[in-house]
């Protein structure tokens, strides 16, 4: 946008005589009468160039003459252009309002699907400077270009058609005019490469804060229809409470993980024993830390098989204090990739008074391993005392991690929705 000085404030239409306000400064090229549709050449004493008839006024909350502020720059709306694009049975309509600032020149304020988008012309040239339709059709990945140190990724292309014209413009618009436009997205900016048949022009669009924008132009945001789709420039918004909840969830997950790893290292190994799977196995141990848990781990070398183990724990008087049945099974193979399921060991946790105890086990039955081989060749017992259970800490870690991940998933779906309007087909 280049600086200009305002000229006259009012003229009469040279076609119908209607009084028209003039807002647009010295570089205005054309003025279209809102009463009779006459397009006048402002550089040639408002000579009538052509007359547009039967134009259907597009729906927009912005009007010529409205004044507002965007990014600290005061602007006035000087012109309105309705546009339409059709593709494979679908159509899109939007309204471009030319805006003018005596200090910053010309730009565009677009009304599209319930949102206001601000666009300014760029003097800088991206690299590459243009992306042809052939490049788009033949590329395996989305084409990209680079401008001001940022990568812009292909979003869409088309040839929008002018359907309505009114007001002042720094060029000469014509009903039905089409320009080839290639749009590329980078974060909160959209770069447009516009081929007007003579040269390639570049424009960058952003989405100002919507409430601030509408209120600045004297429009009540509550009176507007809510957007029905996610605009590619729409920022991802999260309330302060939601951000706090996300951070707390991840902090709690990290705390649960640290405590689980720390408490999981507690305990001392006090007994072990091994025997053939067909023979009973007895292991004796002494409990000296009754305030903590005793862990009894049963292991068997089951391999693509299963084993069912029965046992009991007795005290020093040979009286049973616990009985158990435990299944061990482990399978693996290769089917479109390696896979495995089950486990070769299981653990029991008990709280036992101080004293001497024995664990007695025997394999009750088992599956066949590799044709005629037994389900397991050996069974092992390992006993620890002073163990702290970390089960609920691991549950807490998973739950809090999922809670935090939900907020990241929201961002993912917002990102996906932003790109949903792209005409790029990854297939």
């Amino acid at each position: 946008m280049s600086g200009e000085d305002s000229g006259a404030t009012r003229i009469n239409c040279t076609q119908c005589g209607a009084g028209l306000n003039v807002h647009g400064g010295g570089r205005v090229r054309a003025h279209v009468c809102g009463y009779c549709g006459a397009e006048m050449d402002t550089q040639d004493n408002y000579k009538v160039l052509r007359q547009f008839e039967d134009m259907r006024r597009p729906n927009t909350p912005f009007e010529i003459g409205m004044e507002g502020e965007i990014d600290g720059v005061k602007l006035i709306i000087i012109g309105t252009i309705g546009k339409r694009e059709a593709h494979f049975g679908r159509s899109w309509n939007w309204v471009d309002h030319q805006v003018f600032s005596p200090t910053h020149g010309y730009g565009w304020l677009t009304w599209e699907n319930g949102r206001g988008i601000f666009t300014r012309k760029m003097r800088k040239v991206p690299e590459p400077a243009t992306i042809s339709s052939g490049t788009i059709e033949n590329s395996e990945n989305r084409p990209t270009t680079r401008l001001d140190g940022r990568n812009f990724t292909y979003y869409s292309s088309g040839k929008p058609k002018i359907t309505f014209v009114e007001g002042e413009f720094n060029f000469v618009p014509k009903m039905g005019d089409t320009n080839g436009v290639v749009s590329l997205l980078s974060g909160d900016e959209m770069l447009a490469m516009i081929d007007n048949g003579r040269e390639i022009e570049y424009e960058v669009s952003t989405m100002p804060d919507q409430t601030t924008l509408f209120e600045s132009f004297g429009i009540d945001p509550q009176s507007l229809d809510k957007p029905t789709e996610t605009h590619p420039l729409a920022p991802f918004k999260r309330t302060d409470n939601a951000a706090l909840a996300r951070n707390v969830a991840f902090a709690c997950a990290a705390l649960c993980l640290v405590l689980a790893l720390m408490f999981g290292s507690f305990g001392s190994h006090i007994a072990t024993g091994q025997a053939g799977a067909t023979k009973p196995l007895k292991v004796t141990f002494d409990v000296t830390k009754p305030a903590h848990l005793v862990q009894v781990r049963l292991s068997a070398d089951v391999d693509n098989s299963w084993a069912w183990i029965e046992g009991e724990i007795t005290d020093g008087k040979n009286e049973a204090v616990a009985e158990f049945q435990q299944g061990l099974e482990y399978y693996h193979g290769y089917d479109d990739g390696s896979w495995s399921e089950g486990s070769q060991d299981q653990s029991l946790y008990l709280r036992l008074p101080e004293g001497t105890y024995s664990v007695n086990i025997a394999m009750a039955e088992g599956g066949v391993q590799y044709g005629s081989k037994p389900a397991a060749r050996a069974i092992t017992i390992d006993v620890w005392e002073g163990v702290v259970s970390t089960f609920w800490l691991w549950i807490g870690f998973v739950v809090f991690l999922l809670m935090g991940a939900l907020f990241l998933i929201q961002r993912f779906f917002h990102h996906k929705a932003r790109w949903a309007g792209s005409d790029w087909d990854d297939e």
Side-chain angles (χ1 to χ4, degrees):
M1 297 171 67
S2 58
E4 299 291 343
D5 294 324
S6 297
T9 59
R10 193 168 180 82
I11 59 103
N12 291 326
C13 174
T14 54
Q15 177 71 15
C16 69
L20 304 175
N21 290 322
V22 177
H23 308 286
R27 288 197 176 179
V28 167
R29 292 281 309 282
H31 195 143
V32 179
C33 177
Y35 297 93
C36 68
E39 182 175 37
M40 296 165 282
D41 186 348
T42 62
Q43 306 295 318
D44 190 10
N45 295 318
Y46 286 86
K47 175 183 177 182
V48 176
L49 300 174
R50 61 187 62 83
Q51 189 168 7
F52 305 131
E53 297 179 344
D54 301 324
M55 293 188 299
R56 183 175 179 178
R57 182 176 297 275
N59 182 28
T60 172
F62 297 104
E63 297 178 3
I64 293 174
M66 279 186 171
E67 296 183 74
E69 188 173 297
I70 299 177
D71 296 335
V73 178
K74 293 183 178 180
L75 300 165
I76 184 170
I77 297 175
I78 65 173
T80 299
I81 292 184
K83 289 186 177 180
R84 182 177 188 273
E85 184 174 355
H87 187 66
F88 289 117
R90 295 184 61 191
S91 62
W92 298 265
N93 297 276
W94 65 93
V95 185
D96 288 337
H97 296 280
Q98 180 132 66
V99 293
F100 171 71
S101 164
T103 57
H104 289 71
Y106 301 92
W108 294 98
L109 178 57
T110 299
W111 170 253
E112 181 180 12
N113 191 24
R115 294 185 176 89
I117 308 300
F118 178 61
T119 301
R120 66 190 189 281
K121 196 173 295 294
M122 293 292 296
R123 302 294 185 187
K124 297 179 180 179
V125 178
E127 177 62 38
T130 184
I131 297 176
S132 67
S133 58
T135 299
I136 298 170
E137 293 173 0
N138 297 321
S139 294
E140 295 184 1
N141 301 309
R142 292 176 183 265
T144 62
T145 190
R146 191 168 179 83
L147 177 67
D148 284 340
R150 300 179 64 175
N151 287 325
F152 287 79
T153 304
Y154 175 82
Y155 187 85
S156 64
S157 59
K159 291 186 176 182
K161 180 180 179 180
I162 294 178
T163 60
F164 178 87
V165 186
E166 179 184 3
E168 303 169 81
F169 305 94
N170 63 346
F171 68 105
V172 181
K174 297 178 183 178
M175 286 288 291
D177 267 2
T178 59
N179 290 328
V181 180
V182 176
S183 299
L184 304 101
L185 183 62
S186 175
D188 58 354
E189 292 188 347
M190 180 80 81
L191 170 66
M193 298 178 172
I194 305 171
D195 185 355
N196 60 21
R198 301 181 303 277
E199 60 180 345
I200 304 294
E201 297 181 320
Y202 306 99
E203 295 179 344
V204 172
S205 300
T206 57
M207 179 182 289
D209 178 80
Q210 297 296 277
T211 299
T212 303
L213 171 68
F214 293 126
E215 290 180 347
S216 175
F217 280 85
I219 300 170
D220 180 9
Q222 301 301 320
S223 67
L224 304 175
D225 293 336
K226 299 300 181 182
T228 58
E229 298 176 352
T230 300
H231 193 278
L233 290 176
F236 178 70
K237 292 185 177 180
R238 178 181 286 141
T239 65
D240 292 339
N241 289 338
L244 176 63
R246 176 204 60 195
N247 294 338
V248 169
F250 281 128
C252 289
L255 179 61
C256 287
L257 177 62
V258 171
L259 292 176
L261 294 175
M262 181 177 67
F263 290 143
S265 65
F266 287 9
S268 54
H269 190 241
I270 56 176
T272 188
Q274 186 179 69
T278 60
K279 297 178 180 180
L281 175 60
K282 179 179 180 179
V283 173
T284 301
F285 58 93
D286 293 321
V287 175
T288 61
K289 300 176 181 178
H292 296 285
L293 297 175
V294 172
Q295 177 187 3
V296 178
R297 188 172 72 179
L298 309 176
S299 304
D301 56 352
V302 288
D303 189 6
N304 281 325
S305 61
W306 58 273
W308 188 257
I309 297 173
E310 295 180 348
E312 66 176 3
I313 297 176
T314 59
D315 59 15
K317 299 178 182 180
N318 205 32
E319 294 180 358
V321 296
E323 294 182 350
F324 58 87
Q325 295 180 340
Q326 194 71 52
L328 300 175
E329 58 180 336
Y330 177 70
Y331 300 93
H332 61 90
Y334 187 91
D335 183 10
D336 295 329
S338 299
W339 62 270
S340 64
E341 61 182 14
S343 175
Q344 293 179 318
D345 59 75
Q346 296 288 344
S347 291
L348 304 165
Y349 294 89
L350 308 95
R351 192 177 297 278
L352 299 174
E354 187 174 352
T356 300
Y357 297 87
S358 296
V359 56
N360 305 273
I361 64 169
M363 189 173 77
E365 56 180 329
V368 176
Q369 180 188 62
Y370 299 130
S372 61
K373 292 183 178 180
R377 294 184 297 274
I379 298 177
T380 303
I381 297 176
D382 287 287
V383 183
W384 284 264
E385 72 166 345
V387 174
V388 176
S389 175
T390 59
F391 175 79
W392 290 109
L393 287 173
W394 285 112
I395 293 295
F397 168 71
V398 172
V399 170
F400 284 121
L401 189 65
L402 289 176
M403 289 174 60
L406 286 176
F407 294 99
L408 300 183
I409 291 174
Q410 287 179 328
R411 183 183 292 275
F412 167 78
F413 280 112
H414 175 79
H415 175 80
K416 188 174 182 180
R418 290 178 62 211
W419 288 90
S422 172
D423 60 17
W424 179 265
D425 187 354
D426 287 320
E427 297 180 359

